[in-house]
Amino acid sequence: MALTKEESAVIISKFGSNEADTGNVKVQVALLTERIKQLTAHVQQFPKDTGASRGLLKIIGQRRKLLKYLQRTNLESYRQLIKDLGLRK
C-alpha cells in the first residue's frame, strides 16, 4: 500500500533537482499525490475502512498546505506543478 523505494526514486528524480532533494516542496507534493491516488483506490474498494479514510483526509490536508505555500512563494512553479500532476483543470 505504501510507495516503494523505486516509485519514490522516480518521483524524486522527476520533480527534484537531484536524487537527494526530498525536502523540495514540489517533490513532497508529488509524493503525497501518488499516496493519495493509492489511498483513494483502497478506500473505494473498502468503504468501511475508516482509518484509511481518515488518513486520506489528513494527507489531502498536508498537500493543500504545501500547495498554498508554493502558490504564495513561487506562482510559476505552482502552476507548472499543477499542470504536471494534473490536479486542476
Side-chain angles (χ1 to χ4, degrees), residues 1-71:
M1 185 126 128
L3 288 174
T4 63
K5 288 185 180 184
E6 293 82 19
E7 292 171 334
S8 297
V10 169
I11 293 171
I12 292 168
S13 65
K14 182 177 179 184
F15 291 98
S17 58
N18 57 33
E19 287 79 26
D21 191 15
T22 57
N24 192 341
V25 177
K26 294 188 289 186
V27 172
Q28 290 180 17
V29 170
L31 289 171
L32 287 173
T33 301
E34 188 61 34
R35 184 80 175 113
I36 287 169
K37 288 178 185 176
Q38 290 180 351
L39 271 175
T40 301
H42 175 80
V43 169
Q44 287 175 348
Q45 187 177 4
F46 303 101
K48 293 185 178 182
D49 188 356
T50 57
S53 299
R54 186 172 185 272
L56 177 61
L57 292 175
K58 189 173 182 178
I59 292 173
I60 290 171
Q62 287 176 346
R63 183 179 72 177
R64 183 182 302 132
K65 288 177 188 177
L66 287 170
L67 284 172
K68 283 174 72 173
Y69 167 77
L70 188 61
Q71 184 180 21

